[in-house]
Amino acid sequence: MAVHQSEIYWAKGYRTAVICDLKSYFDTIDHQRLMAYLERYVSDKIILKLIWRFLNAGLMEGGTYLTTPFGAPQGGNLSPLLANLYLDQLDKELERRGHKFVRYADDFQIYVKSRRAGERVLKSVTRFLETKLKLTVNTKKSCVGSPMRYKFLGFRLQKQARASNVLLPGPVSETTVHSETEEVNPTKPSGNL
């Protein structure tokens, strides 16, 4: 859905993408802010208490217990859901501003009509993420440019000779797909019948 929406924005003239990368997103979610946001929608105190305990369960490293004052435990069943709920605040802010955007978990792009608008949006969204949500934007990976140059969820917009612009897997994705296919379907016989 998010990848297809990128094509729609391109067709409507939004030819510049604001690519914003969140640094160590799952490790930096602010527990207090997440719980305050959840309390707006969840009235069951038992559920909220369970989520709080999940977030603060800590971890064992080298036989030593470490507390986890920030972040959502990676690999935990609730982590993707909580991470998406936390970034729902970003979605609402972008909608309020009238931006065209796509997001899947912590990967998102905002589509604008000019590079100048993109630079302005990148600055303001970075400010929102860092001040309101207490997240860190990775400035080395965040940029403004053509969606034909940058992949989103492993895809990037590419021109086709006989068709309009379509999203296709980027070169790295194709290599990964082919190598994984070869592992499943080796071309050489194994010798075992």
Side-chain angles (χ1 to χ4, degrees):
M1 180 70 173
V3 172
H4 178 65
Q5 189 63 47
S6 297
E7 290 177 300
I8 293 170
Y9 290 147
W10 178 271
K12 290 182 176 182
Y14 294 89
R15 304 291 170 92
T16 303
V18 176
I19 294 97
C20 198
D21 183 75
L22 298 175
K23 189 174 186 177
S24 303
Y25 174 62
F26 282 88
D27 296 332
T28 59
I29 296 171
D30 185 295
H31 292 175
Q32 298 289 341
R33 288 179 184 273
L34 173 60
M35 293 306 296
Y37 188 69
L38 288 175
E39 286 173 1
R40 295 182 200 168
Y41 302 99
V42 179
S43 59
D44 189 330
K45 299 295 182 197
I46 294 171
I47 296 296
L48 292 169
K49 191 172 186 177
L50 284 171
I51 292 171
W52 180 253
R53 286 185 176 175
F54 171 79
L55 291 170
N56 291 284
L59 57 95
M60 293 293 289
E61 189 174 293
T64 305
Y65 172 77
L66 301 172
T67 60
T68 52
F70 294 97
Q74 291 190 27
N77 296 338
L78 284 179
S79 296
L81 175 63
L82 294 174
N84 267 319
L85 287 171
Y86 194 65
L87 282 179
D88 184 59
Q89 298 167 88
L90 171 65
D91 296 346
K92 288 184 173 161
E93 179 65 16
L94 294 175
E95 288 169 357
R96 187 186 68 75
R97 296 179 185 187
H99 289 309
K100 310 296 183 213
F101 68 97
V102 292
R103 183 176 71 80
Y104 182 84
D106 63 326
D107 293 316
F108 65 96
Q109 292 186 353
I110 305 164
Y111 291 84
V112 295
K113 293 196 173 187
S114 72
R115 181 165 192 80
R116 186 174 176 187
E119 296 291 345
R120 188 184 75 250
V121 168
L122 179 58
K123 282 182 184 175
S124 68
V125 167
T126 297
R127 189 171 39 254
F128 174 81
L129 288 165
E130 292 183 346
T131 59
K132 299 288 187 189
L133 300 183
K134 299 296 182 198
L135 297 171
T136 304
V137 173
N138 186 341
T139 55
K140 291 181 180 176
K141 291 184 177 180
S142 298
C143 63
V144 176
S146 170
M148 290 190 161
R149 288 190 59 204
Y150 299 97
K151 289 188 296 180
F152 178 65
L153 302 176
F155 292 84
R156 69 182 160 89
L157 205 57
Q158 295 181 355
K159 289 187 183 223
Q160 296 297 303
R162 297 175 54 190
S164 62
N165 297 317
V166 295
L167 284 166
L168 298 173
V172 174
S173 298
E174 290 175 25
T175 303
T176 304
V177 169
H178 291 303
S179 65
E180 289 175 2
T181 304
E182 288 170 7
E183 288 175 17
V184 174
N185 300 314
T187 56
K188 295 180 183 176
S190 65
N192 298 329
L193 294 176

